[in-house]
Coordinates of all heavy atoms in Angstrom, one line a residue:
M1 N 0.8 -1.2 0.0 CA 0.0 0.0 0.0 C 0.9 1.2 0.0 O 1.8 1.3 0.8 CB -0.9 0.0 1.2 CG -2.0 1.0 1.1 SD -3.2 0.9 2.5 CE -3.7 -0.8 2.5
A2 N 0.6 2.2 -0.9 CA 1.4 3.3 -1.0 C 1.1 4.4 0.0 O -0.1 4.5 0.4 CB 1.3 3.9 -2.4
T3 N 2.0 5.2 0.4 CA 1.8 6.4 1.2 C 1.9 7.6 0.2 O 2.8 7.7 -0.5 CB 2.9 6.5 2.3 OG1 2.8 5.4 3.1 CG2 2.7 7.8 3.1
V4 N 0.8 8.4 0.3 CA 0.7 9.6 -0.6 C 1.3 10.8 0.2 O 0.9 11.0 1.4 CB -0.7 9.8 -1.0 CG1 -0.8 11.0 -1.9 CG2 -1.3 8.6 -1.7
P5 N 2.2 11.6 -0.4 CA 2.7 12.7 0.3 C 1.5 13.8 0.5 O 0.5 13.8 -0.2 CB 3.7 13.3 -0.7 CG 3.3 12.8 -2.0 CD 2.6 11.5 -1.8
P6 N 1.7 14.6 1.6 CA 0.6 15.5 1.9 C 0.4 16.5 0.8 O 1.3 16.9 0.1 CB 1.2 16.3 3.1 CG 2.3 15.4 3.6 CD 2.8 14.6 2.5
V7 N -0.8 16.9 0.7 CA -1.3 17.9 -0.3 C -2.0 19.0 0.4 O -2.9 18.7 1.2 CB -2.2 17.3 -1.4 CG1 -2.7 18.3 -2.4 CG2 -1.4 16.2 -2.2
R8 N -1.8 20.2 0.1 CA -2.5 21.3 0.7 C -3.6 21.8 -0.2 O -3.4 21.8 -1.4 CB -1.6 22.5 1.1 CG -0.7 22.2 2.2 CD 0.1 23.5 2.6 NE 0.8 23.1 3.8 CZ 0.9 23.9 4.8 NH1 0.4 25.1 4.8 NH2 1.6 23.6 5.9
D9 N -4.8 22.0 0.3 CA -5.9 22.4 -0.5 C -6.8 23.4 0.3 O -6.7 23.3 1.5 CB -6.7 21.2 -1.0 CG -7.8 21.6 -2.0 OD1 -7.7 22.7 -2.6 OD2 -8.6 20.7 -2.3
V10 N -7.5 24.2 -0.4 CA -8.5 25.1 0.3 C -9.9 24.5 0.2 O -10.3 24.1 -0.8 CB -8.5 26.5 -0.4 CG1 -9.5 27.4 0.2 CG2 -7.1 27.1 -0.3
M11 N -10.5 24.3 1.4 CA -11.8 23.8 1.5 C -12.7 24.9 2.2 O -12.2 25.3 3.3 CB -11.9 22.5 2.2 CG -11.2 21.4 1.6 SD -11.4 19.9 2.7 CE -10.7 18.6 1.6
D12 N -13.8 25.3 1.6 CA -14.6 26.3 2.3 C -15.6 25.5 3.2 O -16.5 24.8 2.8 CB -15.4 27.1 1.3 CG -14.6 28.0 0.5 OD1 -13.6 28.5 1.0 OD2 -14.8 28.1 -0.7
I13 N -15.3 25.6 4.5 CA -16.2 24.9 5.5 C -16.8 26.0 6.3 O -16.2 26.8 7.0 CB -15.3 24.0 6.4 CG1 -14.6 22.9 5.6 CG2 -16.2 23.3 7.5 CD1 -13.6 22.1 6.3
F14 N -18.2 26.0 6.3 CA -18.9 27.0 7.1 C -19.5 26.4 8.4 O -20.1 25.4 8.3 CB -20.0 27.6 6.2 CG -19.5 28.2 5.0 CD1 -19.5 27.5 3.7 CD2 -19.1 29.5 5.0 CE1 -19.0 28.1 2.6 CE2 -18.6 30.2 3.8 CZ -18.6 29.5 2.6
K15 N -19.2 27.1 9.5 CA -19.6 26.6 10.8 C -21.1 26.4 10.8 O -21.9 27.3 10.3 CB -19.2 27.6 11.9 CG -17.7 27.7 12.1 CD -17.3 28.7 13.2 CE -17.7 28.1 14.5 NZ -16.7 28.1 15.5
G16 N -21.5 25.3 11.3 CA -22.9 25.0 11.5 C -23.6 24.5 10.2 O -24.8 24.3 10.2
S17 N -22.9 24.3 9.2 CA -23.5 23.8 7.9 C -22.9 22.5 7.5 O -21.8 22.1 7.9 CB -23.1 24.8 6.7 OG -23.7 26.1 7.0
T18 N -23.7 21.7 6.7 CA -23.1 20.5 6.1 C -22.0 20.8 5.2 O -22.2 21.7 4.3 CB -24.3 19.7 5.4 OG1 -25.3 19.4 6.4 CG2 -23.8 18.4 4.8
F19 N -21.0 20.0 5.2 CA -19.8 20.2 4.3 C -19.7 18.9 3.5 O -19.7 17.8 4.1 CB -18.5 20.5 5.1 CG -17.3 20.4 4.2 CD1 -17.0 21.5 3.3 CD2 -16.5 19.3 4.2 CE1 -15.9 21.4 2.5 CE2 -15.4 19.2 3.4 CZ -15.1 20.2 2.5
S20 N -19.4 19.0 2.2 CA -19.1 17.9 1.4 C -18.2 18.3 0.2 O -18.5 19.4 -0.4 CB -20.4 17.3 0.8 OG -20.1 16.1 0.1
E21 N -17.2 17.6 0.0 CA -16.2 17.9 -1.1 C -15.8 16.6 -1.7 O -15.4 15.7 -1.0 CB -15.1 18.7 -0.6 CG -14.1 19.2 -1.6 CD -14.2 20.7 -2.0 OE1 -14.9 21.4 -1.2 OE2 -13.6 21.1 -2.9
Q22 N -15.8 16.5 -3.0 CA -15.4 15.2 -3.7 C -14.3 15.4 -4.6 O -14.2 16.4 -5.4 CB -16.6 14.6 -4.4 CG -16.2 13.3 -5.1 CD -17.4 12.6 -5.7 OE1 -18.5 12.7 -5.2 NE2 -17.2 11.8 -6.7
Y23 N -13.3 14.5 -4.6 CA -12.2 14.4 -5.5 C -12.2 13.0 -6.2 O -12.9 12.1 -5.7 CB -10.9 14.6 -4.8 CG -10.8 15.9 -4.1 CD1 -11.3 16.1 -2.8 CD2 -10.2 17.0 -4.7 CE1 -11.2 17.3 -2.1 CE2 -10.1 18.2 -4.0 CZ -10.6 18.4 -2.7 OH -10.5 19.6 -2.1
T24 N -11.5 12.9 -7.3 CA -11.4 11.6 -7.9 C -9.9 11.3 -8.2 O -9.1 12.1 -8.6 CB -12.1 11.5 -9.3 OG1 -13.5 11.9 -9.0 CG2 -12.1 10.2 -9.9
S25 N -9.5 10.0 -7.9 CA -8.1 9.6 -8.0 C -8.0 8.7 -9.3 O -8.8 7.8 -9.5 CB -7.7 8.7 -6.8 OG -6.4 8.3 -7.0
Y26 N -7.0 9.1 -10.1 CA -6.8 8.3 -11.4 C -5.4 7.7 -11.3 O -4.5 8.3 -10.8 CB -6.9 9.3 -12.6 CG -8.3 9.9 -12.7 CD1 -8.5 11.2 -12.2 CD2 -9.3 9.2 -13.3 CE1 -9.8 11.8 -12.3 CE2 -10.5 9.8 -13.5 CZ -10.8 11.0 -12.9 OH -12.0 11.6 -13.1
D27 N -5.2 6.6 -12.0 CA -3.9 6.0 -12.1 C -3.2 6.6 -13.3 O -3.7 7.5 -13.9 CB -4.0 4.4 -12.2 CG -4.7 4.0 -13.5 OD1 -4.8 4.7 -14.4 OD2 -5.1 2.8 -13.5
S28 N -2.0 6.1 -13.5 CA -1.1 6.7 -14.5 C -1.7 6.6 -16.0 O -1.3 7.4 -16.9 CB 0.3 6.2 -14.5 OG 0.3 4.8 -14.7
S29 N -2.6 5.7 -16.2 CA -3.2 5.5 -17.5 C -4.5 6.3 -17.7 O -5.1 6.3 -18.7 CB -3.5 4.0 -17.8 OG -4.6 3.6 -16.9
G30 N -4.9 7.0 -16.6 CA -6.1 7.9 -16.6 C -7.3 7.2 -16.2 O -8.4 7.8 -16.3
S31 N -7.2 5.9 -15.7 CA -8.4 5.2 -15.2 C -8.6 5.5 -13.8 O -7.7 5.7 -13.0 CB -8.2 3.7 -15.4 OG -8.1 3.4 -16.8
A32 N -9.9 5.6 -13.4 CA -10.2 5.8 -12.0 C -9.8 4.6 -11.2 O -9.9 3.5 -11.6 CB -11.7 6.0 -11.8
E33 N -9.2 4.9 -10.0 CA -8.7 3.8 -9.1 C -9.7 3.3 -8.2 O -10.5 4.1 -7.6 CB -7.5 4.4 -8.3 CG -6.3 4.8 -9.2 CD -5.1 5.2 -8.4 OE1 -5.1 6.3 -7.8 OE2 -4.2 4.3 -8.2
N34 N -9.7 2.0 -7.9 CA -10.6 1.4 -6.9 C -9.9 1.7 -5.5 O -8.9 1.1 -5.2 CB -10.8 0.0 -7.1 CG -11.7 -0.7 -6.1 OD1 -12.0 -0.1 -5.1 ND2 -12.1 -1.9 -6.4
L35 N -10.5 2.6 -4.7 CA -9.9 2.9 -3.4 C -10.6 2.3 -2.3 O -10.3 2.5 -1.1 CB -10.0 4.5 -3.3 CG -9.3 5.3 -4.4 CD1 -9.5 6.8 -4.2 CD2 -7.8 5.0 -4.4
A36 N -11.6 1.5 -2.5 CA -12.5 0.9 -1.5 C -11.8 0.2 -0.4 O -12.2 0.2 0.8 CB -13.6 0.1 -2.1
S37 N -10.7 -0.4 -0.7 CA -9.9 -1.2 0.4 C -8.9 -0.4 1.1 O -8.2 -0.9 2.0 CB -9.3 -2.4 -0.3 OG -8.3 -2.0 -1.2
Y38 N -8.8 0.9 0.8 CA -7.8 1.7 1.5 C -8.3 2.4 2.7 O -9.5 2.5 2.8 CB -7.2 2.8 0.5 CG -6.4 2.2 -0.6 CD1 -6.9 1.7 -1.8 CD2 -5.0 2.2 -0.5 CE1 -6.1 1.2 -2.8 CE2 -4.2 1.6 -1.5 CZ -4.8 1.1 -2.6 OH -4.0 0.6 -3.6
T39 N -7.5 3.0 3.5 CA -7.8 3.8 4.6 C -7.2 5.2 4.4 O -6.1 5.3 3.7 CB -7.4 3.3 6.0 OG1 -6.0 3.1 6.0 CG2 -8.1 1.9 6.2
A40 N -7.7 6.2 5.0 CA -7.1 7.6 4.8 C -7.5 8.4 6.0 O -8.5 8.2 6.7 CB -7.7 8.2 3.5
S41 N -6.7 9.5 6.2 CA -7.0 10.5 7.2 C -6.5 11.8 6.7 O -5.5 11.8 5.9 CB -6.4 10.2 8.6 OG -5.0 10.2 8.6
C42 N -7.1 12.9 7.1 CA -6.7 14.2 6.7 C -7.0 15.2 7.8 O -8.2 15.4 8.1 CB -7.4 14.6 5.4 SG -7.1 16.3 4.8
P43 N -6.0 15.8 8.4 CA -6.3 16.8 9.5 C -6.6 18.2 8.9 O -6.2 18.6 7.8 CB -5.0 16.9 10.2 CG -3.9 16.5 9.2 CD -4.6 15.6 8.3
I44 N -7.4 18.9 9.6 CA -7.7 20.3 9.4 C -6.9 21.1 10.4 O -7.1 20.9 11.6 CB -9.2 20.7 9.5 CG1 -10.0 19.9 8.4 CG2 -9.3 22.2 9.3 CD1 -11.5 20.2 8.6
K45 N -5.9 21.8 10.0 CA -5.0 22.5 10.9 C -5.0 24.0 10.6 O -5.4 24.5 9.6 CB -3.6 22.0 10.7 CG -3.4 20.6 11.0 CD -1.9 20.2 10.9 CE -1.7 18.7 11.3 NZ -0.3 18.4 11.4
D46 N -4.4 24.8 11.6 CA -4.2 26.2 11.3 C -3.1 26.4 10.3 O -2.4 25.4 10.0 CB -4.0 27.0 12.6 CG -2.7 26.6 13.4 OD1 -1.8 26.0 12.8 OD2 -2.6 27.0 14.5
S47 N -2.9 27.5 9.9 CA -1.8 27.8 8.8 C -0.4 27.5 9.3 O 0.4 27.2 8.4 CB -1.9 29.2 8.3 OG -1.7 30.1 9.3
T48 N -0.2 27.4 10.6 CA 1.2 27.1 11.0 C 1.3 25.6 11.2 O 2.5 25.1 11.4 CB 1.4 27.8 12.4 OG1 0.6 27.2 13.4 CG2 1.2 29.3 12.4
G49 N 0.2 24.9 11.2 CA 0.3 23.4 11.3 C 0.4 23.0 12.8 O 0.5 21.8 13.1
A50 N 0.3 24.0 13.7 CA 0.4 23.7 15.1 C -0.8 23.1 15.7 O -0.8 22.2 16.6 CB 0.8 24.9 15.9
T51 N -2.0 23.5 15.3 CA -3.3 23.1 15.9 C -4.1 22.3 15.0 O -4.3 22.7 13.8 CB -4.1 24.3 16.4 OG1 -3.3 25.1 17.3 CG2 -5.3 23.9 17.1
T52 N -4.5 21.1 15.4 CA -5.5 20.3 14.6 C -6.9 20.6 15.1 O -7.1 20.4 16.3 CB -5.1 18.8 14.7 OG1 -3.8 18.6 14.1 CG2 -6.1 18.0 13.9
Y53 N -7.8 21.0 14.2 CA -9.2 21.3 14.6 C -10.1 20.1 14.4 O -11.1 20.0 15.1 CB -9.7 22.5 13.9 CG -8.9 23.8 14.2 CD1 -7.9 24.3 13.4 CD2 -9.2 24.5 15.4 CE1 -7.3 25.4 13.7 CE2 -8.5 25.6 15.7 CZ -7.5 26.1 14.9 OH -6.9 27.2 15.2
F54 N -9.8 19.3 13.4 CA -10.7 18.1 13.1 C -9.8 17.2 12.2 O -9.0 17.7 11.5 CB -11.9 18.6 12.3 CG -12.9 17.5 12.0 CD1 -13.8 17.1 13.0 CD2 -12.9 16.9 10.8 CE1 -14.7 16.1 12.7 CE2 -13.8 15.8 10.5 CZ -14.7 15.4 11.5
T55 N -10.1 15.9 12.3 CA -9.4 15.0 11.4 C -10.4 14.2 10.7 O -11.2 13.5 11.3 CB -8.4 14.1 12.2 OG1 -7.4 14.9 12.8 CG2 -7.8 13.1 11.2
F56 N -10.4 14.3 9.3 CA -11.3 13.4 8.5 C -10.6 12.1 8.5 O -9.4 11.9 8.5 CB -11.3 13.9 7.1 CG -12.0 15.2 6.8 CD1 -11.4 16.4 6.7 CD2 -13.4 15.2 6.7 CE1 -12.0 17.6 6.4 CE2 -14.1 16.4 6.5 CZ -13.4 17.6 6.3
S57 N -11.4 11.0 8.6 CA -10.9 9.6 8.6 C -11.9 8.7 7.9 O -13.1 9.0 7.8 CB -10.7 9.2 10.0 OG -10.4 7.8 10.1
T58 N -11.4 7.6 7.4 CA -12.3 6.6 6.7 C -13.1 5.8 7.8 O -14.0 5.1 7.5 CB -11.5 5.6 5.9 OG1 -10.3 5.2 6.5 CG2 -11.1 6.3 4.6
T59 N -12.7 6.0 9.1 CA -13.6 5.6 10.2 C -14.5 6.7 10.5 O -14.0 7.7 11.2 CB -12.7 5.2 11.4 OG1 -11.8 4.1 11.0 CG2 -13.6 4.6 12.5
L60 N -15.7 6.7 10.0 CA -16.6 7.8 10.2 C -16.9 8.0 11.7 O -17.0 7.0 12.4 CB -17.9 7.6 9.4 CG -17.8 7.4 7.9 CD1 -19.1 7.2 7.3 CD2 -17.0 8.5 7.3
N61 N -17.1 9.3 12.1 CA -17.4 9.5 13.5 C -18.9 9.3 13.8 O -19.6 8.9 12.9 CB -16.9 10.9 14.0 CG -17.7 12.0 13.4 OD1 -18.8 11.9 12.8 ND2 -17.2 13.3 13.6
G62 N -19.4 9.5 15.0 CA -20.8 9.2 15.3 C -21.8 10.1 14.6 O -23.0 9.7 14.5
N63 N -21.3 11.2 14.0 CA -22.2 12.0 13.2 C -22.2 11.7 11.7 O -22.9 12.3 10.9 CB -21.9 13.5 13.3 CG -22.1 14.0 14.7 OD1 -23.0 13.6 15.4 ND2 -21.2 14.8 15.2
G64 N -21.3 10.7 11.3 CA -21.2 10.4 9.9 C -20.2 11.2 9.2 O -20.0 11.2 7.9
S65 N -19.4 12.0 9.9 CA -18.4 12.9 9.3 C -17.1 12.0 9.0 O -16.8 11.2 9.8 CB -18.0 14.0 10.2 OG -19.1 14.9 10.4
G66 N -16.5 12.3 7.9 CA -15.2 11.6 7.6 C -14.9 11.5 6.1 O -15.4 12.4 5.4
I67 N -14.2 10.5 5.7 CA -13.8 10.3 4.3 C -14.4 9.0 3.8 O -14.3 7.9 4.5 CB -12.3 10.2 4.1 CG1 -11.6 11.4 4.7 CG2 -12.0 10.0 2.6 CD1 -10.1 11.3 4.7
V68 N -15.1 9.0 2.7 CA -15.6 7.8 2.0 C -14.8 7.6 0.7 O -14.7 8.5 -0.1 CB -17.1 7.8 1.8 CG1 -17.5 6.6 1.0 CG2 -17.8 8.0 3.0
L69 N -14.1 6.4 0.6 CA -13.4 6.1 -0.6 C -14.1 5.1 -1.4 O -14.6 4.1 -0.9 CB -12.0 5.5 -0.2 CG -11.1 6.3 0.7 CD1 -9.9 5.5 1.1 CD2 -10.8 7.6 0.1
G70 N -14.3 5.4 -2.7 CA -15.1 4.5 -3.6 C -14.4 3.7 -4.6 O -13.2 3.8 -4.8
T71 N -15.1 2.7 -5.1 CA -14.6 1.9 -6.2 C -14.4 2.6 -7.5 O -13.6 2.2 -8.4 CB -15.5 0.7 -6.5 OG1 -16.8 1.2 -6.8 CG2 -15.7 -0.2 -5.2
D72 N -15.0 3.8 -7.6 CA -14.9 4.6 -8.8 C -13.8 5.7 -8.7 O -13.8 6.7 -9.4 CB -16.2 5.2 -9.1 CG -16.7 6.1 -8.0 OD1 -16.1 6.2 -6.9 OD2 -17.8 6.8 -8.2
G73 N -12.9 5.6 -7.7 CA -11.9 6.6 -7.5 C -12.3 7.8 -6.7 O -11.5 8.7 -6.4
S74 N -13.5 7.8 -6.2 CA -14.0 8.9 -5.5 C -13.5 9.0 -4.1 O -13.3 8.0 -3.4 CB -15.6 8.9 -5.4 OG -16.0 7.8 -4.8
I75 N -13.2 10.2 -3.7 CA -12.7 10.5 -2.3 C -13.7 11.6 -1.8 O -13.6 12.8 -2.3 CB -11.3 11.0 -2.3 CG1 -10.4 10.0 -3.0 CG2 -10.8 11.4 -0.9 CD1 -9.0 10.6 -3.4
V76 N -14.6 11.3 -0.9 CA -15.6 12.2 -0.5 C -15.4 12.6 1.0 O -15.4 11.7 1.8 CB -17.0 11.7 -0.7 CG1 -18.1 12.7 -0.3 CG2 -17.3 11.2 -2.1
F77 N -15.2 13.9 1.2 CA -15.0 14.4 2.6 C -16.4 15.0 3.0 O -17.0 15.7 2.2 CB -14.0 15.6 2.6 CG -12.6 15.2 2.3 CD1 -12.2 15.1 1.0 CD2 -11.7 14.9 3.3 CE1 -10.9 14.7 0.7 CE2 -10.4 14.6 3.0 CZ -10.0 14.5 1.7
T78 N -16.9 14.6 4.2 CA -18.1 15.1 4.7 C -18.0 15.5 6.1 O -17.3 14.9 6.9 CB -19.3 14.1 4.5 OG1 -19.0 12.9 5.2 CG2 -19.6 13.8 3.1
M79 N -18.7 16.6 6.5 CA -18.8 17.0 7.9 C -20.3 17.3 8.2 O -20.9 18.1 7.5 CB -17.9 18.2 8.2 CG -16.5 17.9 8.4 SD -15.5 19.4 8.8 CE -15.7 19.4 10.6
H80 N -20.8 16.8 9.3 CA -22.1 17.0 9.8 C -22.1 18.5 10.4 O -21.1 18.9 10.9 CB -22.4 16.0 10.8 CG -23.8 16.0 11.4 ND1 -24.2 16.9 12.4 CD2 -24.9 15.4 11.0 CE1 -25.5 16.7 12.7 NE2 -25.9 15.8 11.8
P81 N -23.3 19.1 10.4 CA -23.3 20.5 10.9 C -22.9 20.6 12.4 O -22.3 21.6 12.8 CB -24.8 20.8 10.8 CG -25.3 20.1 9.7 CD -24.5 18.8 9.7
T82 N -23.1 19.5 13.2 CA -22.6 19.5 14.6 C -21.1 19.6 14.6 O -20.5 20.4 15.4 CB -23.0 18.2 15.3 OG1 -24.5 18.1 15.2 CG2 -22.5 18.2 16.7
D83 N -20.4 18.9 13.7 CA -18.9 19.0 13.7 C -18.4 20.3 13.1 O -17.4 20.8 13.6 CB -18.4 17.8 12.8 CG -18.7 16.5 13.5 OD1 -18.6 16.4 14.8 OD2 -19.0 15.5 12.8
T84 N -19.0 20.8 12.1 CA -18.6 22.2 11.5 C -18.8 23.2 12.6 O -18.1 24.2 12.7 CB -19.2 22.5 10.2 OG1 -20.7 22.6 10.4 CG2 -18.9 21.5 9.1
G85 N -20.0 23.1 13.3 CA -20.3 24.1 14.3 C -19.3 24.1 15.5 O -19.2 25.1 16.2
A86 N -18.6 22.9 15.7 CA -17.7 22.8 16.8 C -16.3 23.3 16.5 O -15.4 23.4 17.3 CB -17.6 21.4 17.3
L87 N -16.0 23.7 15.2 CA -14.7 24.2 14.8 C -14.5 25.5 15.5 O -15.3 26.4 15.5 CB -14.6 24.4 13.3 CG -14.7 23.1 12.5 CD1 -14.8 23.5 11.0 CD2 -13.5 22.2 12.7
S88 N -13.3 25.6 16.1 CA -13.0 26.8 17.0 C -11.8 27.6 16.5 O -10.9 27.8 17.1 CB -12.7 26.4 18.4 OG -11.6 25.5 18.4
F89 N -11.9 28.0 15.2 CA -10.9 28.9 14.7 C -11.4 30.2 14.3 O -12.6 30.4 14.3 CB -10.3 28.2 13.4 CG -11.3 28.0 12.3 CD1 -11.6 29.0 11.4 CD2 -12.0 26.8 12.2 CE1 -12.5 28.8 10.4 CE2 -12.9 26.6 11.2 CZ -13.2 27.6 10.3
T90 N -10.5 31.2 14.1 CA -11.0 32.5 13.7 C -10.3 32.8 12.4 O -9.2 32.4 12.1 CB -10.5 33.6 14.8 OG1 -9.1 33.5 14.9 CG2 -11.2 33.3 16.1
G91 N -11.0 33.6 11.6 CA -10.5 34.0 10.3 C -10.5 32.8 9.3 O -11.3 31.9 9.5
D92 N -9.6 32.9 8.3 CA -9.7 31.9 7.3 C -8.3 31.2 7.2 O -7.9 30.9 6.1 CB -10.1 32.5 5.9 CG -9.2 33.6 5.5 OD1 -8.3 34.0 6.3 OD2 -9.4 34.2 4.4
S93 N -7.6 31.1 8.3 CA -6.3 30.5 8.3 C -6.2 29.0 8.5 O -5.3 28.5 9.2 CB -5.4 31.3 9.3 OG -5.9 31.1 10.6
I94 N -7.2 28.3 8.0 CA -7.2 26.8 8.1 C -6.7 26.2 6.9 O -6.9 26.6 5.8 CB -8.7 26.4 8.3 CG1 -9.2 26.9 9.7 CG2 -8.8 24.9 8.2 CD1 -8.8 26.0 10.8
V95 N -5.8 25.1 7.0 CA -5.3 24.4 5.9 C -5.6 22.9 6.1 O -5.7 22.5 7.3 CB -3.8 24.6 5.6 CG1 -3.5 26.1 5.3 CG2 -3.0 24.2 6.9
T96 N -5.7 22.2 5.1 CA -5.9 20.7 5.2 C -4.6 20.1 4.6 O -4.0 20.6 3.7 CB -7.1 20.2 4.4 OG1 -6.9 20.5 3.0 CG2 -8.4 20.7 5.0
G97 N -4.3 18.9 5.2 CA -3.1 18.2 4.7 C -2.0 18.1 5.7 O -2.0 18.6 6.7

């Protein structure tokens, strides 16, 4: 199983709202990869990387928030409004990865 290097991305997550963002993974031939047997995690941190506010994981939390990996290469990040409402950051200095 390969380890993928960290990637930084901007995700607009609004406190108290449902969040969902989808990506698709392709192999070197351009075909969607079957990711269903993999596990993943992705922390949401401040811009310095010092504080982790939430961690997306393929083990969904009690609210159903986390990462779902599909047979069609899909990588879906979701957060329940309870979890987005609990984020305790100020401004827009949050990064993922």
Side-chain angles (χ1 to χ4, degrees):
M1 193 174 307
T3 300
V4 178
V7 175
R8 288 184 175 222
D9 192 12
V10 175
M11 295 179 171
D12 293 322
I13 301 174
F14 298 96
K15 290 180 72 129
S17 297
T18 298
F19 169 78
S20 182
E21 185 103 12
Q22 180 170 333
Y23 300 87
T24 304
S25 178
Y26 298 97
D27 64 21
S28 59
S29 70
S31 298
E33 296 185 282
N34 181 349
L35 302 174
S37 65
Y38 290 86
T39 60
S41 66
C42 177
I44 297 175
K45 297 182 174 191
D46 64 17
S47 59
T48 66
T51 302
T52 298
Y53 295 101
F54 183 83
T55 299
F56 290 101
S57 172
T58 47
T59 302
L60 303 181
N61 73 10
N63 294 324
S65 297
I67 304 171
V68 176
L69 303 175
T71 58
D72 61 351
S74 61
I75 305 165
V76 182
F77 294 85
T78 58
M79 281 183 85
H80 186 274
T82 301
D83 294 320
T84 62
L87 294 173
S88 60
F89 59 89
T90 57
D92 58 358
S93 60
I94 292 274
V95 296
T96 59

